[in-house]
Each structure stands twice: as structure tokens, then as C-alpha cells.
Amino acid sequence: MGIPTPPAERLNAVISNWNRAIFGMLSERGRLVYFPHEGILGQTAEAKGAELNATIGMACEDDGSIMALDSISKQLTIGKDSAFPYAPSFGNKKLRELWQAQVRQKNPSIVSETSIPIVTSALTHGLSIVGYLFMEPGIRVVIPEPFWGNYKLTFGVSYGAEIVTFPLFHDGRFNIEGLRETLQHSAAPTVVVLNFPNNPTGYSPTTAEANQIIETLTLHAVHHPLVVVCDDAYFGLVFEDGVYAESLFGKLAEASEQLLAVKADGCTKEDYVWGFRVGFVTFGCKGGAKELYGALEDKAAGAVRATISNAPNISQGLLLNAFSSPTYGQEKAEKRAALYSRYQEIKKIVEHHPEYIEYFKPLPYNSGYFMCVQLTDRLNAENVRKRLIEKHSTGVIAIGNLLRIAYSSVAREKLQRIFDNIFAACKEMAKG
């Protein structure tokens, strides 16, 4: 692919000096990438404050203020300078620091230094940045199944990694033996991706299961260095006691010098702003230091610069304002309560309708936006899905022999109708 340039070599040297295992896990693209501090961006930064500044590719009015159309700017509740200029490729510094503080507050198990989050264009882009740095042909990506289908495009198609799966559940619990066996049979360099609360099943591990997962990954990393990606898209939406409420990132970041934990998260679901496209990538490793994390941040920001230049400034500005609002916490609590009430309704519906078992049964669920039902072998999920649309005006997602129900998007009083319609469609299809 190429020979690292001097800026990339300097970052590689820092990473290698601090942690040979992490350096060894970088993809070829990851070793080549760097943030161009000395290029246009660096020269622009040096010229900041100059009386005559002709460095940046933005348009300004004669008085030096940012140029903008009134038809757009009059719609804004934030200042023009928080919306129209480019954001840094690293992201808004205040937002990065505030998000880091929030992550630490929500995850008390994070006790050592981690990187400052890099802002990405939502979580999907964050996962792509992880792929950019650590995935390529010959890398195996271990993921519990079922999993979010976009992983195939992001990790497999985009970066050529081999996706290796194991069943998420065994006897109604997280399949820890499946994880162990899959890792034991993985001689190639490996990245593990864990998504909790899980999409599509809506499952998060219990505290005991979480500790088993962390122990398994830590032991494996002793002889086989690992990158472990925590896809925390639905973080915070845990609805049962005894379920591990923190991100696995916290303890994994303290687990081993041979294990690099990566937290991919964002405001999309946590703050109910799906179209804002603001996500974050954070690195953590036992014994990690500011110099190591700084080099990883530079590489991640370089990958952002190489792919999209920067995440939307207007979204970052709006979120910063929201985080300082005195009603922010209360508003989030109210939205979470609405989702929890729907979760409770789903539990009641399933409990009160034992007849469903003739055609389908729920997979374990305890968190997030979703739950899944597994159809009996005589039914085809895709055929049932189409029947639901054509005859019952009901939309669900078919994944293998599962139907995924996004109760997050349906009013509580309408949830019973969804299950009534699924039951009716299954009955109709079973009769042929």
C-alpha cells in the first residue's frame, strides 16, 4: 500500500515505544495514516489571529464574520460561528472533554487515563474509523450472532476483514463457551466486537456474564493481543436489575497491556438525535499514557480527515448547548421512562399469551430498543414479514428465522396489536 511518511513514522514510533502489542495490531492503513498538523490545517492554526488571514477555505463578510445566507441563519438558535465554520477533524474540543467527563460519570469502573474521544459522524462512522485503523484482509472479526447487518459492509466489504460468529445465546444466557471456543480457534490477528444492549435482540449481559466476558478476553490477550470494540450505541437503556449497566469498556481498559479497548458510542440514541450524526471513539489500555493516546487520537483524526474531513459543526454546537441546559437530565429521564414502559408492556404481553409458543418464542431481552421472536422451523421469517405488511399493515424486520420488533418506535397501547398480527400471520402461513 505504501511506505509511511515521516509524520506517520513519528506516530508509529510513539505507539511502538509505549506498547508493541498495539502497534502490532494496526492495519497497514493504520500504520500509514497520520494527522497533517504541518499541512494546511497547521498553517491555518498558526495564522489564527493574524490581521490579514487568507488561509482557510471559508467565505467571510467584509467585517470578517462568517458568510451565511439569512434564509438559513435566521432559523438557528445558536450563533453563526457555532454552525457554519468547519469543525476540527478531532471534533469540538469542549464537546470532546464534556463527553469524556460524562462517560466517566456513567462508568465508574474507568479509573485510569483513557484517550480524549475523537468526534465522528455518528457511530457507524466511528466503527469505520476503527476498521480503518485495525482491519484488513487476514484479520478476523469475532462477533456474537445475531448482529447488526451493517457490520458486514463496515468491516467486511469496506476493509476486507473476515467476520467470524458464534451464537449469542446458550440455554437463555450469554454464550461464554462460544466466545472462548471461537477465540481458541482463531490463529489469525483478531478484533472482537461486542454490542450491548444488542441490536437486534435487545440483550445485555448480567453482571456475572459481563465479568466472565472480561475474564475470557483478558486471558486470551495474554498470548494473543486483542482489539475489543464496545459498540455502545444503546448505552444506558438497561431495564432490569442484575444486568451490567456500565459499558464493558471500563474494565476492559484496565484488563491487559495486550488488550486495546475501543469505545464507539454517540448521541444518536443516548440523546435521541438520530439525524445529528455525532459519535465518538475512545481508546483505553492498561498502562496507557498520554503520549500513546495522543498518537492514537492523531491517527483516528487523520482517518476522519481522510474520509469526511470533520463531523457536522452545527450538531456539535447544538449538543453542547443541550448538555448545559438545566432540564437536560429530566428530559432524558422522561424519554427513558417512555421506553421502559413499552418494554414492560412487551413483557406483559408475552407472559399473558402462552399460545404464542405454537409459532414463536421470544429470545432473551432486557434492554435497548428491540426484542426478537424466533419462529418455529415450519415458518419462514421473510414470508411472515411480507404477510404482515400485505395483510396486516405491520412492519417488522426479518433476520434469519427471527423477527425483530422495534418497540422503541411504537406507542405502548399499539404493541398488543403487533403481537396479535404476528400471531395471525404465522397461523395463516402455517396453514399454507
Side-chain angles (χ1 to χ4, degrees):
M1 188 178 292
I3 299 173
T5 60
E9 284 284 20
R10 287 194 288 273
L11 295 178
N12 293 342
V14 171
I15 295 171
S16 179
N17 289 339
W18 278 98
N19 192 308
R20 288 289 301 174
I22 292 177
F23 177 73
M25 292 185 284
L26 288 171
S27 65
E28 184 177 1
R29 187 180 283 105
R31 295 186 185 195
L32 290 173
V33 75
Y34 60 93
F35 187 78
H37 288 287
E38 299 173 359
I40 292 175
L41 299 178
Q43 294 177 40
T44 299
E46 289 179 4
K48 188 175 181 179
E51 181 181 358
L52 303 174
N53 189 347
T55 59
I56 192 68
M58 296 189 299
C60 295
E61 303 288 1
D62 289 345
D63 63 1
S65 63
I66 194 73
M67 190 176 288
L69 302 180
D70 288 343
S71 57
I72 298 175
S73 60
K74 69 182 181 182
Q75 301 180 57
L76 301 178
T77 58
I78 58 176
K80 291 197 300 181
D81 287 342
S82 296
F84 292 101
Y86 292 121
S89 295
F90 289 81
N92 183 297
K93 190 171 187 292
K94 289 183 179 178
L95 181 64
R96 295 173 64 203
E97 292 171 346
L98 187 55
W99 190 260
Q100 182 184 48
Q102 288 187 10
V103 167
R104 286 183 170 273
Q105 181 182 21
K106 298 169 188 174
N107 298 272
S109 59
I110 303 176
V111 295
S112 297
E113 188 169 9
T114 64
S115 72
I116 302 173
I118 295 296
V119 178
T120 60
S121 187
L123 201 141
T124 302
H125 182 234
L127 294 172
S128 180
I129 294 303
V130 176
Y132 193 110
L133 297 180
F134 299 105
M135 298 179 193
E136 60 190 349
I139 298 294
R140 305 183 90 199
V141 182
V142 174
I143 309 174
E145 190 174 24
F147 59 82
W148 182 44
N150 207 21
Y151 289 156
K152 294 177 182 178
L153 288 176
T154 305
F155 303 143
V157 175
S158 297
Y159 297 107
E162 177 190 4
I163 294 178
V164 180
T165 65
F166 64 93
L168 175 61
F169 299 115
H170 178 71
D171 290 338
R173 298 177 62 84
F174 180 83
N175 185 9
I176 192 68
E177 285 301 322
L179 173 61
R180 287 175 183 148
E181 291 175 7
T182 305
L183 289 173
Q184 288 170 359
H185 291 93
S186 182
T190 302
V191 177
V192 177
V193 178
L194 298 171
N195 167 220
F196 300 124
N198 177 258
N199 177 4
T201 66
Y203 185 78
S204 292
T206 65
T207 299
E209 290 169 342
N211 288 332
Q212 287 181 312
I213 293 169
I214 293 161
E215 180 184 14
T216 298
L217 295 171
T218 304
L219 289 174
H220 185 81
V222 172
H223 301 292
H224 305 281
L226 284 176
V227 174
V228 182
V229 182
C230 298
D231 177 348
D232 290 342
Y234 301 89
F235 178 83
L237 296 174
V238 169
F239 300 137
E240 294 286 352
D241 293 336
V243 176
Y244 194 67
E246 291 190 42
S247 169
L248 294 178
F249 172 83
K251 290 187 176 179
L252 288 171
E254 309 282 342
S256 169
E257 293 179 352
Q258 298 268 106
L259 189 156
L260 177 67
V262 185
K263 192 177 195 301
D265 55 20
C267 301
T268 305
K269 277 88 176 179
E270 287 198 44
D271 295 298
Y272 309 97
V273 288
W274 303 272
F276 274 30
R277 314 315 295 152
V278 174
F280 302 88
V281 172
T282 307
F283 304 101
C285 180
K286 185 176 182 180
K290 185 176 295 185
E291 292 81 0
L292 171 64
Y293 293 137
L296 290 172
E297 289 166 21
D298 263 30
K299 284 189 174 288
V304 172
R305 173 73 174 165
T307 52
I308 64 164
S309 187
N310 51 267
N313 199 17
I314 185 170
S315 300
Q316 296 180 62
L318 288 168
L319 285 163
L320 261 177
N321 280 8
F323 291 159
S324 62
S325 168
T327 60
Y328 168 75
Q330 178 186 342
E331 291 166 14
K332 283 194 68 172
E334 290 171 355
K335 303 307 180 190
R336 186 188 185 283
L339 294 177
Y340 177 67
S341 71
R342 296 174 193 177
Y343 167 78
Q344 291 286 80
E345 182 68 13
I346 292 278
K347 285 182 64 180
K348 185 174 72 174
I349 291 168
V350 171
E351 181 183 348
H352 290 175
H353 291 275
E355 69 273 17
Y356 291 163
I357 197 67
E358 183 178 357
Y359 301 113
F360 59 84
K361 64 179 180 180
L363 291 183
Y365 62 104
N366 54 28
S367 53
Y369 275 24
F370 314 109
M371 63 90 66
C372 286
V373 296
Q374 184 174 29
L375 304 185
T376 59
D377 291 341
R378 56 183 168 151
L379 292 169
N380 178 279
E382 177 62 11
N383 292 341
V384 172
R385 183 192 70 82
K386 289 181 177 178
R387 182 77 171 195
L388 280 165
I389 292 175
E390 294 165 0
K391 300 296 184 181
H392 300 278
S393 191
T394 300
V396 296
I397 299 295
I399 305 171
N401 72 331
L402 306 176
L403 296 179
R404 190 195 75 173
I405 301 162
Y407 58 83
S408 59
S409 62
V410 181
R412 178 174 178 165
E413 61 269 18
K414 295 180 180 180
L415 290 170
Q416 180 66 66
R417 287 176 53 199
I418 288 182
F419 281 84
D420 289 344
N421 291 345
I422 292 174
F423 185 72
C426 288
K427 193 172 184 178
E428 293 159 8
M429 298 303 293
K431 290 180 178 179

